[in-house]
Amino acid sequence: MRDEPNEHQAFALPGTRPRYGPDKTVSVEHIDLHLTPDLADESLEGVCTITVRALDEPVPHLTLNAVDLEVSRVEDAGFASRDGALEIEFDPALVPGESKTFAVHYRVRKPRHGLFFVKPVASDPQRAA
């Protein structure tokens, strides 16, 4: 048995600087997904209805990850879609404790991550579609 203290090695690579996530401005209270896959086109159409509640300060906008999504509209909120992000605009801003529900209508075709379309191939025609 060793008498040495348990020393841990640093996990980060040399030269790496700490990165922190954004402050949490809302609590997600509910998510309702309605999805329609198109297996032949390797695409998916969806409507994601989200209810959020503002936490400690007014919330004029919310940024959501939208990589590979083609957002067609957002019900009950303004929006802008750019660089893989979806900016939801609240006018007026949500006050602390206030809840807001909005619906994002989108499409994704041949997604690179998170969803995979598996089709039969010549070498395995019985492969599940």
Side-chain angles (χ1 to χ4, degrees):
M1 191 155 121
R2 299 167 127 191
D3 291 327
E4 299 172 14
N6 186 6
E7 293 185 32
H8 296 282
Q9 296 291 321
F11 180 74
L13 296 173
T16 303
R17 297 192 319 197
R19 293 179 57 183
Y20 303 97
D23 290 338
K24 187 174 178 182
T25 60
V26 299
S27 173
V28 177
E29 295 184 324
H30 187 75
I31 297 175
D32 182 42
L33 286 173
H34 290 262
L35 305 173
T36 306
D38 182 336
L39 301 179
D41 190 41
E42 295 185 26
S43 66
L44 178 82
E45 289 195 22
V47 178
C48 180
T49 304
I50 306 169
T51 301
V52 297
R53 182 177 42 82
L55 293 175
D56 302 321
E57 56 193 46
V59 179
H61 58 86
L62 184 63
T63 303
L64 303 175
N65 183 333
V67 174
D68 292 339
L69 298 185
E70 300 168 17
V71 177
S72 59
R73 66 187 172 112
V74 175
E75 292 179 37
D76 300 319
F79 80 99
S81 183
R82 59 182 153 265
D83 300 325
L86 177 63
E87 186 85 13
I88 304 295
E89 301 288 337
F90 302 116
D91 186 22
L94 301 181
V95 297
E98 180 182 9
S99 292
K100 175 73 173 177
T101 299
F102 57 93
V104 179
H105 295 253
Y106 64 91
R107 180 174 193 256
V108 59
R109 187 166 189 278
K110 297 188 186 255
R112 293 178 284 172
H113 304 286
L115 177 65
F116 303 96
F117 291 90
V118 180
K119 295 180 177 182
V121 292
S123 62
D124 188 359
Q126 299 301 315
R127 186 177 185 179

